[in-house]
Amino acid sequence: MWYPGHISKAKRKIKEYLKAVDTIMIILDARAPLATTAFEENIFSHKDVLFVLNKADLSNETYNNLWVKEISKTNPVITFSKKESVEKIKKFIKTYSKEKLKETRILIAGVPNVGKSSIINKISGRKLAKTGMAPGITRGLQWINLGKVKLLDTPGILYSKLFNKDVTAKLLLIGSIPVESVDKYDIITRAYEIFSNELNIKETFEEFIENFGKKRGYLAKGGLVDFERAKNNFFKAVAEGKFGRMTFDKEVQLWMQR
């Protein structure tokens, strides 16, 4: 399973930097709030923790509301998307983050590809952090100076071993794990099963990918579908929200048990 060395190194660095920050802002993917807490949250104990349900324009609005209601029982939380005004998230930070010596220091954390760097760039109004659809764009820790507010951008972090098949499958669907690195076929087919249940698709995974590849012209020699290319591009399209709004984590009641 994919677990680059820079993530392990980043975890050690994050622990070192914790003394320098007062607030942790964890970015979740609104399509999978539980799956995107697949890291050691206990490293942030004794700190104020805020949650942002990002990419809320790609998830089911009804479930967005349910998740906000549940998470807000224990922590401040908002939904956010690239279509919304940055003032929403600035107000959220100002309301719930601590100020020490007339300065607010916030560590931004989350699993790969939930949009941490995009949020930082939106807050700053400048392209200060690298962004991209591929997980693992941010490689090291970096301070973003916004005057009285300082943000610590961090690489995506994950458990070193993901034992839960459903969690891994959902992380694959939202692009937090690159499909090329998933060597267990049962995880890939489980991810497709979760996706197909959302859209009530009856085709098997193999049938769907064959048809997907034909429609998009992903053909190899002899006119056969390039299955690997079609599969990889299918999961990329799902992660980008090309199939419409959907939520993969619906077990709202499990938030308190995570």
Side-chain angles (χ1 to χ4, degrees):
M1 182 56 64
W2 181 74
Y3 191 74
H6 74 272
I7 290 183
S8 181
K9 186 178 178 180
K11 284 186 182 181
R12 294 193 297 271
K13 282 287 184 183
I14 285 171
K15 291 175 183 178
E16 292 174 17
Y17 275 84
L18 279 176
K19 291 180 181 178
V21 301
D22 306 298
T23 305
I24 311 298
M25 189 161 76
I26 297 177
I27 313 301
L28 305 175
D29 190 308
R31 295 170 292 180
L34 284 171
T36 46
T37 57
F39 56 89
E40 295 90 333
E41 275 188 85
N42 62 341
I43 66 175
F44 301 131
S45 59
H46 310 302
K47 296 288 180 180
D48 289 342
V49 177
L50 319 178
F51 287 100
V52 176
L53 289 167
N54 198 31
K55 304 188 182 183
D57 56 324
L58 303 183
S59 54
N60 182 294
E61 192 169 2
T62 298
Y63 277 99
N64 287 349
N65 294 332
L66 290 172
W67 277 112
V68 166
K69 184 178 179 181
E70 186 66 16
I71 296 171
S72 65
K73 292 176 182 178
T74 56
N75 299 83
V77 58
I78 57 167
T79 57
F80 195 66
S81 75
K82 61 183 179 182
K83 298 178 180 178
E84 294 186 83
S85 168
V86 69
E87 294 307 316
K88 178 179 180 180
I89 205 160
K90 283 182 176 179
K91 183 179 179 182
F92 180 63
I93 289 172
K94 188 175 180 181
T95 302
Y96 294 105
S97 60
K98 283 184 176 179
E99 185 178 287
K100 187 179 288 185
L101 300 176
K102 296 183 178 181
E103 186 174 86
T104 301
R105 292 187 172 193
I106 302 172
L107 185 147
I108 312 293
V111 305
N113 203 43
V114 289
K116 299 182 299 297
S117 296
S118 295
I119 285 176
I120 286 173
N121 289 339
K122 195 155 188 175
I123 293 170
S124 68
R126 291 171 288 163
K127 195 170 184 180
L128 299 176
K130 292 181 180 180
T131 62
M133 270 304 297
I137 295 294
T138 302
R139 294 283 171 159
L141 283 74
Q142 56 180 326
W143 282 105
I144 310 295
N145 192 336
L146 306 176
K148 289 186 177 181
V149 176
K150 287 183 171 58
L151 305 177
L152 182 58
D153 188 19
T154 63
I157 51 177
L158 279 171
Y159 282 123
S160 55
K161 292 183 180 179
L162 290 168
F163 296 106
N164 187 300
K165 187 190 295 185
D166 276 16
V167 168
T168 310
K170 290 169 186 177
L171 290 172
L172 172 57
L173 287 168
I174 63 172
S176 291
I177 296 175
V179 63
E180 297 87 350
S181 72
V182 179
D183 50 12
K184 294 182 178 179
Y185 200 66
D186 60 333
I187 290 173
I188 290 173
T189 54
R190 177 55 185 148
Y192 170 73
E193 184 181 351
I194 293 168
F195 163 82
S196 61
N197 286 341
E198 282 292 299
L199 298 181
N200 198 29
I201 296 170
K202 302 302 181 185
E203 294 171 294
T204 66
F205 175 62
E206 290 75 15
E207 290 169 344
F208 182 90
I209 296 301
E210 283 285 332
N211 290 328
F212 179 82
K214 285 177 185 176
K215 288 176 184 176
R216 285 158 179 76
Y218 299 143
L219 304 178
K221 288 182 180 180
L224 297 175
V225 169
D226 184 337
F227 192 87
E228 195 68 14
R229 184 184 174 198
K231 177 197 72 177
N232 293 348
N233 279 279
F234 159 69
F235 280 107
K236 182 181 178 184
V238 176
E240 292 175 350
K242 297 291 177 64
F243 289 91
R245 299 179 68 160
M246 55 185 78
T247 294
F248 304 121
D249 271 333
K250 294 184 168 67
E251 303 84 358
V252 178
Q253 73 282 0
L254 296 181
W255 177 258
M256 299 293 187
Q257 302 172 32
R258 74 191 192 288

